[in-house]
Amino acid sequence: MRFLILPAASSSDGRADEDLIPQAAALGPVARIWEAPRGLVVPRTYASLPGFDHVREAFAREGWPIAVRQSGGGVVPQGPGILNLSLALPLRGRPLDHSEALYRLICAIIQAALTPLGIDARAQAVEGSFCDGRFNLAVGEPARKIAGTAQVWRRIPDGPRDLHAGLVHGLILARIDPTALTGQANRLESALGSSRRYLPERIASLDTLGPSPRSGLFKALKSGLADALRSAWPDLTTDR
């Protein structure tokens, strides 16, 4: 299986990949490497919390607009220094039967891009990081998160009843300030009346991994992701 790399779509927030779902239905496996302006992105469960609209307006006035995405998980920041990878492909059968394989695929692609840069990342949960999950990518011991993942599934109209498009997204912390990003996520949780809090020491910026700052890492990572996407990957039983 090979991915068709589509150009980044113009977007004012961190939802620049949701158009990949209909693209996958028409074209087969597709991918996008993209960036987004500064802001916070939350799943739809946050939008139902009391006071969400008021909090959203207040954060927008402060230069931190909040977007509501289709996929699950928790609050994540977007902005300079964060690189995103999204994959979408059509699959037959129940989404639950393919969910883990799709997570493992995006982790493997990101790992393939990181390995030439001397970064050995593994998939695991990292307690205390924002939007924690089993398929984070982490480094070191104690583990620090350097990428998070989420996914969403939609049935493909006019196709067989068991034909779905799966969209999986990886958010990569390439060149960021862990304290600043975690602080914004905590501010949102506090404003929404949640007791959930995150720890800046549970995430890491890729450009700080090594004996000295790595000024060219962001560009090298984008190139590495594109190279990895052009490689052949195991077929997940796609069907258009």
Side-chain angles (χ1 to χ4, degrees), residues 84-104:
N84 298 276
L85 171 66
S86 298
L87 314 175
L89 61 162
L91 291 163
R92 296 291 294 269
R94 300 186 309 162
L96 185 62
D97 294 336
H98 299 292
S99 176
E100 182 166 329
L102 197 53
Y103 274 129
R104 292 192 182 280

Side-chain angles (χ1 to χ4, degrees), residues 70-137:
Q70 295 185 42
S71 59
V75 56
V76 296
Q78 284 283 359
I82 292 175
L83 192 59
N84 298 276
L85 171 66
S86 298
L87 314 175
L89 61 162
L91 291 163
R92 296 291 294 269
R94 300 186 309 162
L96 185 62
D97 294 336
H98 299 292
S99 176
E100 182 166 329
L102 197 53
Y103 274 129
R104 292 192 182 280
L105 175 61
I106 195 169
C107 286
I109 290 172
I110 297 172
Q111 287 169 314
L114 292 175
T115 298
L117 303 177
I119 299 172
D120 182 19
R122 60 190 182 277
Q124 69 166 84
V126 180
E127 185 177 358
S129 64
F130 52 74
C131 199
D132 189 24
R134 289 173 54 210
F135 293 100
N136 298 321
L137 284 176

Side-chain angles (χ1 to χ4, degrees), residues 147-179:
T149 58
Q151 65 177 251
V152 64
W153 291 81
R154 292 289 181 267
R155 183 177 174 274
I156 295 177
D158 303 321
R161 292 183 60 83
D162 66 344
L163 182 59
H164 298 81
L167 170 67
V168 63
H169 167 233
L171 180 144
I172 307 169
L173 306 176
R175 190 176 60 226
I176 55 97
D177 180 340
T179 299

Side-chain angles (χ1 to χ4, degrees), residues 171-195:
L171 180 144
I172 307 169
L173 306 176
R175 190 176 60 226
I176 55 97
D177 180 340
T179 299
L181 288 191
T182 302
Q184 285 299 326
N186 283 336
R187 283 187 64 239
L188 177 60
E189 296 288 4
S190 177
L192 291 172
S194 168
S195 61

